[in-house]
Amino acid sequence: MAEKLFENFGLEVTKAAVAKFIQAILGFVGIIVFARVLGPTDFGGVYLLISVVGVLKQVTGYEGAAKRRFAEADIDNREIVGAVGLFNIAVIAMTAVAALTFKHHLVTYTGLENAEWLLIGLMSALVLFSPYQTLLTARGLLSRQIWIDTIRSVLTLGLQLSLILLGFGASGVIYGTVGATLLCLPLTQHALRVKPSVPSRETIRSLWEYTKYMTPTSFIGKVYSEYDMILIGFLVTQNAVGYYQAALKLTIPAIFLSQVASSGLMSEISNLHSRSESFSKELTNTLSFASLLSIPLFFGALAIPEWLVVTVYEPAFRSAATLLVGLALYQVVRSQSSLYRQTLFGMDRPDKVFRIDAVTLSLNLLLGFLLVVEIGTLGAVIATIAAESLRYAMSASVVRNSVKGVELYPRPILHQVVAGLTMFGVVTGAEHVVASRSVAALLVVVGVGAGTYFMSLIFISPQFRYTVRSILQPIVENADS
């Protein structure tokens, strides 16, 4: 009988979150440099291409299916790895044909001269790398998977900056990502330690039973997440895409914990569900702290949006300030809804996720189009908040009806909102007191706000204090030994 994947899920998430934080710092440095060097137009064009790749990559629905089966008890993992390799080859071939067929449209849409080859290269690298990274999580190696991705981030930034300095411009951003991803592929294979074998018909059938829902579900989910930029690119300008992407990147730290926790949670639930064991405690605990970072980031963005955007980028990106507040609110909702989504995947119910995502995307498509035509880029953000709220409500309702004993609204979330409001008051007051609008002044105000938030949590939340102790205790014990 298989054992639980994670001995200390909170510690594993914390180690992975540290790696995510390092990734964020590297990504943040890159974004600032790219935005300033490339300007809003080329900056927007690069991320339009990345959005297209992100949508196309969802044909790899077998990635989620492989993760689900890989985490089950008593499964031949060698055949799963072999099946993933065969699927990868097929996807790369289809991508090349599609990109060369629609070459002209890609170049026109993104503004990048060699868009078709950039797309083929990026898609191929990600398809070869990403599925095996996912399998590491299914083995319980969550933090190791994230740390390998962190090494990839270090290499990516170094290669991107070098290529830009060498005169490759916007294309250098893509080339750097491709090169770093391929360099890290051997690390992932070594960590996985599972040799592929020819998959049996039964293995293929098992993967297909999950993939037939997972692929359209993943596709719909990605179209939903990238729809704003795709729509803005069509209806507004590439500059507007640059503003949107700049604001979105500032909110990425909000979902660190949620992303890491939901990935590990899916594998844990899959493992427990395959053995008919309850997972309500694991889900409740994860829900309690998934929004630990998204809530203060929202209140911080609400307090000083323009100061943040102008200082981090430059005055040319001032239009992103309003978008920042809306996207930060979206991330709060997303930090909770993503957990319910992964819970349903872990329960082997991709059909439920597919139906929920189809309804959510339909709302976003219609409302987003109408609002962008009416009020511009901000309309896309408003539509996304509405759609994500609907996804949250529907997903939470299904989980509540399917899982006994889970708390949908754990008390720590209320504590985090109270601490966030306290931080908002302190940051707003500090902004009026501080006359300078320098980088140093912003760092001081942000530091004071973060300190206020976490000190407030320690004071009012016994669950937060207990969680911190449970994470630190094994670290201290290992250090002493």
Side-chain angles (χ1 to χ4, degrees):
M1 185 67 69
E3 297 178 353
K4 287 183 66 175
L5 291 180
F6 304 103
E7 292 297 326
N8 188 328
F9 187 60
L11 177 60
E12 191 73 12
V13 169
T14 301
K15 290 190 294 184
V18 170
K20 274 286 187 182
F21 182 72
I22 295 173
Q23 288 182 35
I25 294 175
L26 296 171
F28 198 53
V29 171
I31 287 297
I32 293 172
V33 173
F34 303 152
R36 290 175 177 269
V37 173
L38 300 178
T41 301
D42 283 349
F43 182 72
V46 167
Y47 282 96
L48 279 176
L49 180 70
I50 292 174
S51 295
V52 172
V53 171
V55 171
L56 292 178
K57 186 177 173 293
Q58 300 318 304
V59 300
T60 60
Y62 57 87
E63 180 178 327
K67 178 181 178 181
R68 174 64 172 79
R69 301 305 183 214
F70 205 87
E72 291 177 350
D74 304 321
I75 193 77
D76 186 351
N77 290 332
R78 295 173 302 171
E79 291 191 15
I80 299 295
V81 174
V84 167
L86 294 176
F87 291 148
N88 286 347
I89 294 171
V91 169
I92 291 172
M94 289 189 295
T95 298
V97 172
L100 294 174
T101 301
F102 297 100
K103 169 185 175 180
H104 176 72
H105 299 287
L106 281 171
V107 172
T108 302
Y109 182 56
T110 64
L112 304 175
E113 292 183 2
N114 54 344
E116 72 281 10
W117 292 111
L118 294 175
L119 186 145
I120 292 171
L122 184 57
M123 182 72 170
S124 299
L126 293 177
V127 165
L128 290 172
F129 178 76
S130 181
Y132 298 113
Q133 280 281 93
T134 300
L135 295 184
L136 287 179
T137 304
R139 285 197 67 185
L141 301 174
L142 174 61
S143 61
R144 190 173 303 180
Q145 178 252 312
I146 299 295
W147 276 103
I148 290 175
D149 204 31
T150 301
I151 294 173
R152 185 174 76 107
S153 296
V154 173
L155 293 173
T156 297
L157 180 59
L159 288 173
Q160 287 174 332
L161 294 178
S162 299
L163 290 170
I164 288 175
L165 290 174
L166 288 171
F168 284 88
S171 297
V173 177
I174 305 299
Y175 292 146
T177 304
V178 172
T181 301
L182 294 177
L183 286 172
C184 287
L185 182 58
L187 288 177
T188 301
Q189 296 288 352
H190 176 73
L192 189 59
R193 296 182 183 277
V194 177
K195 293 183 178 180
S197 65
V198 178
S200 66
R201 183 176 298 179
E202 178 61 26
T203 298
I204 296 294
R205 187 196 64 78
S206 176
L207 289 173
W208 171 247
E209 286 300 314
Y210 200 88
T211 301
K212 67 182 181 182
Y213 286 108
M214 193 69 182
T215 295
T217 299
S218 298
F219 183 80
I220 289 174
K222 193 62 179 180
V223 170
Y224 167 77
S225 65
E226 300 291 346
Y227 177 63
D228 284 3
M229 284 194 294
I230 293 173
L231 183 65
I232 293 166
F234 274 118
L235 297 183
V236 193
T237 62
Q238 290 174 352
N239 281 39
V241 174
Y243 301 143
Y244 181 95
Q245 187 62 221
L248 181 64
K249 290 298 181 182
L250 284 177
T251 70
I252 292 301
I255 53 171
F256 281 170
L257 287 178
S258 179
Q259 281 184 329
V260 173
S262 63
S263 179
L265 183 68
M266 189 270 204
S267 298
E268 180 78 343
I269 288 176
S270 176
N271 183 268
L272 292 171
H273 187 261
S274 71
R275 295 187 281 128
S276 301
E277 294 186 18
S278 172
F279 52 83
S280 59
K281 180 180 178 181
E282 286 81 0
L283 178 55
T284 298
N285 289 341
T286 307
L287 287 170
S288 297
F289 296 103
S291 302
L292 185 66
L293 299 180
S294 62
I295 289 173
L297 195 146
F298 165 68
F299 284 113
L302 186 63
I304 51 173
E306 188 170 308
W307 190 6
L308 280 168
V309 169
V310 171
T311 303
V312 170
Y313 299 109
E314 56 183 1
F317 284 84
R318 191 182 304 274
S319 299
T322 304
L323 305 179
L324 175 64
V325 178
L327 289 170
L329 177 58
Y330 156 69
Q331 300 289 26
V332 174
V333 183
R334 181 187 174 193
S335 66
Q336 291 288 308
S337 66
S338 63
L339 295 182
Y340 295 118
R341 196 167 183 266
Q342 293 302 317
T343 296
L344 293 173
F345 280 136
M347 293 169 60
D348 208 6
R349 296 308 308 266
D351 55 322
K352 290 288 187 182
V353 180
F354 172 73
R355 294 186 182 99
I356 291 171
D357 282 2
V359 173
T360 302
L361 177 61
S362 297
L363 174 64
N364 202 21
L365 288 174
L366 178 60
L367 189 60
F369 180 83
L370 294 175
L371 290 179
V372 169
V373 170
E374 189 66 27
I375 62 177
T377 307
L378 181 60
V381 178
I382 295 172
T384 296
I385 294 171
E388 190 66 26
S389 298
L390 177 62
R391 172 190 269 178
Y392 167 80
M394 295 175 68
S395 301
S397 176
V398 173
V399 171
R400 179 187 60 199
N401 294 332
S402 305
V403 183
K404 294 181 180 179
V406 65
E407 296 180 39
L408 299 186
Y409 311 104
R411 184 171 293 273
I413 295 179
L414 175 61
H415 295 156
Q416 291 156 35
V417 172
V418 172
L421 286 168
T422 304
M423 184 200 76
F424 174 77
V426 170
V427 171
T428 302
E431 182 192 18
H432 293 305
V433 172
V434 177
S436 172
R437 286 296 179 266
S438 65
V439 174
L442 177 63
L443 291 175
V444 170
V445 171
V446 170
V448 170
T452 300
Y453 175 75
F454 285 105
M455 289 303 296
S456 299
L457 266 185
I458 290 173
F459 180 74
I460 66 177
S461 177
Q463 294 94 335
F464 182 69
R465 294 195 296 271
Y466 173 80
T467 300
V468 171
R469 283 197 300 269
S470 68
I471 291 172
L472 293 179
Q473 184 175 352
I475 298 176
V476 173
E477 290 175 351
N478 290 335
D480 290 340
S481 61

